[in-house]
Amino acid sequence: MLRSLMTMLDPLVEKYLVTAIAPIMKYHEKFYNKLNCFLRDLIDSKGSLPKWFTANFITYARTTLIVPCLLLLARGHRLIPAFIVISVDFGDFLDGVVARYWMDLQKKKDDHDNNKKLKNPSQSGFGE
């Protein structure tokens, strides 16, 4: 019985995803691509981020918001938990931007160090 129910629901869900969700996802992707570029430009224009402001920090901060959100929901609040959920979603996006920033910074540093070693082989540790 469950299998026949699932067999009937699958085409309906597929139709819903194709007709209702897919068009929205195009706008969602465009929005987040533009937001990604804006935030990265903003970070780059500031020069650098504090060393403590990492993707892990953002993830930990988002995780700590679970408890107040649940407590507020249990007490019947709706607006503040909704704001918390939206903030957590934005934080999920932001931690990706910040992670790419730190990875790019590390890559630049590694490239600079490698170029320095190539220009001055006596510091490279080779041939000793």
Side-chain angles (χ1 to χ4, degrees):
M1 174 156 167
L2 184 59
R3 181 169 277 170
S4 62
L5 178 62
M6 294 304 287
T7 305
M8 288 185 339
L9 284 177
D10 279 346
L12 292 173
V13 170
E14 187 68 31
K15 188 72 170 168
Y16 169 73
L17 290 173
V18 169
T19 57
I21 301 299
I24 293 170
M25 291 307 294
K26 290 177 188 171
Y27 294 112
H28 179 270
E29 186 175 337
K30 286 180 183 177
F31 171 74
Y32 274 103
N33 284 340
K34 288 186 186 280
L35 184 60
N36 185 5
C37 291
F38 171 76
L39 288 174
R40 185 53 193 263
D41 289 344
L42 183 65
I43 291 169
D44 290 340
S45 72
K46 296 293 179 189
S48 67
L49 292 174
K51 291 200 182 292
W52 56 266
F53 196 75
T54 64
N56 285 342
F57 172 80
I58 295 167
T59 299
Y60 298 145
R62 289 180 15 235
T63 303
T64 61
L65 291 174
I66 291 171
V67 174
C69 186
L70 291 175
L71 290 173
L72 288 166
L73 284 170
R75 294 191 175 134
H77 296 277
R78 298 291 179 254
L79 186 61
I80 295 173
F83 178 74
I84 291 172
V85 168
I86 291 168
S87 300
V88 166
D89 179 58
F90 177 73
D92 183 39
F93 174 76
L94 181 62
D95 72 13
V97 174
V98 169
R100 285 188 295 278
Y101 167 80
W102 287 115
M103 288 172 52
D104 290 347
L105 200 66
Q106 184 63 44
K107 185 176 181 333
K108 284 180 187 175
K109 182 183 177 297
D110 291 346
D111 289 347
H112 176 73
D113 290 347
N114 289 337
N115 286 338
K116 223 163 109 175
K117 286 178 185 177
L118 289 173
K119 289 179 182 174
N120 192 354
S122 65
Q123 293 179 350
S124 68
F126 295 116
E128 293 178 7

